[in-house]
């Protein structure tokens, strides 16, 4: 039944069907032409679908069943950290005192919300080793932009305008160079060493008095912890640059080590990856940033503060050299409630344990799939994720995309594919801490089945997927010509 094709709701329209009922009008009728400018009035009725309430409910229920999420299956999307969001987080974010809080109401009536923001800032500062935190940015990439703008403001406030370059390793997330360009910087990419670390000699050659910052992800997108991190941060600091920590992979280090202790000056966290708020999917999200003390005066306002004498929480707008606002009001509050709930529910030891389980799961799965596919850096201990490729079955003609499509037939969301770009045919697998041993073993078993299929009859794999409503798409056309307009025939 659920496998049937689902039409657009416009195609379901039947004249006379209606899914609403309005009460009798209790105010005098008004001629729209008398109250609205003529140019804003429709010349013909809107072509809205005419459907009954049950048709609407069934339509959207069918559509929801076509979706795939962490609540419906294993979702090992490397670098995206699709970890389970405990439902307790949802419950607290929907407490009446939170959902009815309005940004324009007096601070005296929203002390609980402000206290949560203040305490969350302190918790994130402790978790990352930073001195000050702002909750304003609305996503990880938004946090990146805020962080780099803070670094730019720091240099310019000191009269140092010659720093025009941001260094980005080739194992960075794609958002890093994009962020730096948006902030007005030139990008200088440095290669990784054969072992997957930052090439120290290349870094020494790259830094200079024009270096504004180094943007670094640790662990990297190869799932490897930078063994020479202290040396890296010292080289950049000695050149007068600042160090930006991309916190997208922080789920591997919570409670174990901190960017602030490694020498980073700015850090952002993707709360959906690290603190178990739902993944954005377009939002709302949150990407708080933390900074060392020398950068605090540049943070975007407002920041939640506490007045001990008056025993009240308040929003501080008077930040002397602030880069300005990054978002209306003070961030996506309900998302922050979920992050706060997660941190308070687990506590310091629980957060540490979550990271330990994430690393354990990644290494266990890496070992299991290495029986079937090539894995990168087999001699290195993986952090939260690892890279596998079909290099060992290249003679079958099966590529990464084929394996990813075949995984869908077996009920699994594919890993991130063809990223990082420095590994040919990459599949980036991140199981997270919330998956069971049995789930990991089941996934590895499917990888083994697909490899066996590739060797026996590769066309089964290269023509996948077979079990989905929509078969293999023209990936290039879908990406470059996303024509989603509906036109009634």
């Amino acid at each position: 039944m659920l496998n049937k094709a689902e039409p657009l709701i416009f195609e379901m329209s039947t004249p006379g069907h209606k899914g609403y009922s309005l009460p009798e009008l209790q105010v005098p009728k008004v001629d729209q032409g008398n109250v609205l400018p003529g140019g804003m009035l429709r010349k013909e009725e809107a072509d809205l679908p005419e459907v009954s309430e049950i048709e609407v409910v069934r339509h959207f229920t069918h559509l929801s069943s076509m979706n795939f999420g962490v609540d419906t299956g294993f979702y090992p999307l490397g670098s995206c950290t699709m970890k389970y969001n405990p439902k307790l987080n949802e419950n607290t974010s929907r407490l009446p005192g939170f959902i009815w809080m309005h940004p324009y109401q007096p601070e005296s009536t929203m002390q609980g919300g402000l206290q949560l923001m203040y305490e969350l800032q302190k918790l994130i500062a402790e978790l990352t080793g930073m001195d000050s935190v702002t909750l304003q940015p609305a996503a990880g990439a938004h946090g990146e932009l805020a962080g780099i703008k803070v670094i730019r403001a720091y240099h310019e406030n000191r009269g140092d305008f010659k720093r025009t370059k941001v260094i980005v390793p080739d194992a960075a997330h794609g958002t890093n160079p994009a962020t730096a360009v948006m902030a007005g910087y030139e990008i200088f990419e440095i290669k990784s060493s054969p072992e997957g670390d930052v090439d120290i000699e290349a870094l020494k050659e790259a830094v200079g008095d024009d270096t504004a910052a180094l943007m670094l992800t640790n662990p990297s997108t190869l799932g490897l912890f930078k063994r020479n991190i202290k040396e890296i941060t010292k080289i950049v600091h000695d050149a007068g640059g600042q160090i930006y920590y991309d916190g997208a992979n922080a789920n591997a280090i919570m409670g174990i080590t901190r960017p602030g202790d490694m020498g980073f000056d700015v850090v952002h966290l993707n709360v959906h990856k690290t603190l178990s708020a739902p993944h954005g999917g377009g939002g709302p999200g949150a990407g708080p940033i933390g900074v060392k003390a020398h950068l605090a005066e540049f943070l975007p306002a407002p920041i939640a503060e506490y007045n001990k004498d008056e025993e009240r929480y308040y929003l501080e707008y008077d930040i002397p050299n602030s880069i300005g606002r990054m978002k209306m009001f003070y961030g996506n509050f309900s998302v922050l409630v979920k992050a706060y709930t997660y941190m308070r529910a687990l506590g310091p030891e629980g957060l540490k344990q979550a990271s330990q389980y994430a690393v354990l799961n990644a290494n266990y799965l890496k070992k299991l799939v290495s029986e079937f596919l090539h894995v990168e850096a087999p001699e290195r201990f993986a952090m939260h994720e690892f890279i596998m490729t079909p290099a060992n079955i290249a003679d079958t003609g099966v590529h990464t995309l084929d394996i990813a499509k075949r995984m869908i037939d077996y009920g699994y969301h594919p890993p991130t594919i063809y990223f990082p770009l420095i590994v040919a045919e990459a599949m980036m697998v991140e199981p997270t801490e919330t998956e069971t041993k049995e789930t990991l073993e089941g996934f590895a078993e499917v990888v083994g089945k697909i490899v066996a299929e590739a060797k026996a009859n590769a066309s089964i794999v290269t023509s996948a997927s077979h079990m989905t409503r929509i078969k293999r798409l023209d990936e290039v056309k879908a990406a470059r010509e996303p024509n989603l307009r509906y036109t009634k025939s």
Side-chain angles (χ1 to χ4, degrees):
M1 181 66 179
L2 292 178
N3 256 333
K4 73 171 188 176
E6 185 68 20
L8 298 175
I9 196 166
F10 293 94
E11 296 169 337
M12 297 169 60
S13 181
T14 302
H17 286 197
K18 191 166 69 173
Y20 65 91
S21 60
L22 299 176
E24 290 291 327
L25 190 64
Q26 296 179 336
V27 294
K29 284 187 177 180
V30 174
D31 185 344
Q32 297 168 357
N34 294 333
V35 294
L36 294 175
M40 297 183 67
L41 293 175
R42 282 185 170 278
K43 294 182 175 54
E44 56 189 30
E45 288 193 10
D47 188 17
L48 298 176
E50 296 182 65
V51 285
S52 68
E53 180 175 330
I54 188 61
E55 287 174 312
V56 173
V57 170
R58 287 173 179 166
H59 174 68
F60 286 105
T61 301
H62 289 165
L63 290 181
S64 71
S65 71
M66 297 178 187
N67 205 355
F68 191 99
V70 175
D71 285 358
T72 55
F74 186 39
Y75 206 135
L77 201 62
S79 196
C80 287
T81 314
M82 303 299 288
K83 63 196 285 183
Y84 173 69
N85 177 43
K87 297 301 172 265
L88 171 66
N89 302 356
E90 298 291 335
N91 293 342
T92 53
S93 71
R94 293 172 187 170
L95 289 173
F98 289 146
I99 62 173
W100 295 115
M101 196 167 69
H102 192 283
Y104 280 138
Q105 73 185 70
E107 286 182 352
S108 61
T109 65
M110 51 188 289
Q111 286 295 294
L114 291 176
Q115 180 180 357
L116 183 146
M117 293 174 63
Y118 178 79
E119 293 184 3
L120 181 58
Q121 289 172 184
K122 296 297 183 186
L123 291 173
I124 292 175
E126 178 65 23
L127 186 68
T128 58
M130 293 290 158
D131 298 312
S132 296
V133 169
T134 176
L135 304 174
Q136 269 204 17
H142 200 211
E144 281 186 36
L145 182 61
I148 291 297
K149 287 173 75 70
V150 164
I151 289 175
R152 186 182 186 101
Y154 165 74
H155 289 309
E156 294 182 352
N157 188 59
R158 299 167 66 241
D160 190 351
F161 294 93
K162 64 180 177 299
R163 298 185 180 275
T164 58
K165 185 171 65 181
V166 169
I167 301 171
V168 181
D170 60 2
H173 286 104
T175 49
N176 290 179
T179 294
V181 168
M182 286 187 69
Y185 285 113
E186 302 169 24
I187 306 303
F188 190 90
E189 183 182 273
I190 55 173
K191 302 295 183 185
S192 299
S193 69
E195 296 76 28
D197 294 307
V198 170
D199 188 319
I200 293 297
E201 294 307 314
L203 178 60
K204 288 179 179 177
E205 291 180 10
V207 298
D209 60 6
D210 61 346
T211 300
L214 167 71
M215 298 185 78
L216 192 67
T217 308
N218 192 29
S220 70
T221 56
L222 295 170
L224 302 175
F225 191 87
K226 304 293 186 188
R227 293 174 292 193
N228 44 16
I229 187 63
K230 283 287 197 179
E231 188 177 4
I232 292 170
T233 55
K234 184 176 187 307
I235 290 170
V236 178
H237 280 153
D238 286 349
Q242 299 289 289
I243 319 284
Y244 183 90
Y245 182 83
D246 181 325
N249 292 349
N251 197 48
I253 63 167
M254 285 190 302
I256 299 172
T257 186
R258 309 187 302 177
D261 299 337
M262 300 178 205
F264 287 89
D265 301 292
V266 186
V267 55
H268 88 262
L269 290 182
N270 302 67
V271 294
H272 59 276
K273 296 184 181 183
T274 310
L275 304 177
S276 188
H279 203 286
I289 64 168
V291 299
K292 288 294 191 182
H294 66 285
L295 298 175
E297 63 181 295
F298 307 104
L299 286 174
I303 292 175
E305 296 286 3
Y306 179 63
N307 186 316
K308 291 182 181 178
D309 296 333
E310 300 176 6
E311 297 183 340
R312 68 178 179 87
Y313 295 90
Y314 65 99
L315 293 171
E316 178 60 81
Y317 289 88
D318 186 17
I319 300 176
N321 293 308
S322 171
I323 60 171
R325 298 190 71 99
M326 291 298 294
K327 180 142 187 1
M328 292 179 66
F329 305 116
Y330 34 80
N332 286 325
F333 182 76
S334 68
V335 180
L336 301 173
V337 175
K338 295 168 190 174
Y340 179 81
T341 305
Y342 179 73
M343 297 185 79
R344 291 298 302 271
L346 266 64
E349 281 305 311
L351 293 173
K352 178 181 179 181
Q353 200 169 48
S355 284
Q356 290 173 328
Y357 286 164
V359 174
L360 176 64
N361 276 0
N363 283 278
Y364 183 56
L365 187 55
K366 179 182 178 183
K367 177 63 177 175
L368 292 177
V369 301
S370 67
E371 294 184 25
F372 311 112
L373 288 175
H374 166 79
V375 296
E376 288 291 302
E379 76 290 351
R380 295 273 309 262
F381 192 68
M383 298 302 291
H384 59 304
E385 62 193 8
F386 64 91
I387 309 294
M388 63 183 187
T389 81
N392 60 310
I393 58 169
D395 60 337
T396 65
V398 167
H399 294 278
T400 285
L401 179 64
D402 305 318
I403 296 174
K405 294 293 186 185
R406 188 61 175 147
M407 284 179 180
I408 297 172
D409 286 337
Y410 283 103
Y412 293 96
H413 194 287
T416 298
I417 60 173
Y418 298 112
F419 186 81
L421 301 177
I422 56 177
V423 178
E425 297 280 332
M427 283 179 274
M428 184 194 286
V429 183
E430 182 176 6
T432 81
E433 71 276 15
T434 52
E435 298 300 334
T436 66
K437 181 172 178 284
E438 290 74 20
T439 297
L440 304 182
E441 290 169 347
F443 179 76
E445 183 179 344
V446 162
V447 171
K449 287 181 180 177
I450 295 173
V451 170
E453 290 173 347
K455 293 177 178 177
N457 181 5
S459 65
I460 294 177
V461 184
T462 56
S463 59
S465 60
H466 305 287
M467 305 294 287
T468 52
R469 291 176 178 83
I470 305 297
K471 306 305 177 189
R472 192 174 296 208
L473 296 171
D474 182 330
E475 303 271 340
V476 175
K477 188 177 179 66
R480 297 183 179 177
E481 299 178 39
N483 183 5
L484 303 177
R485 182 180 296 275
Y486 170 71
T487 304
K488 190 174 183 179
S489 58

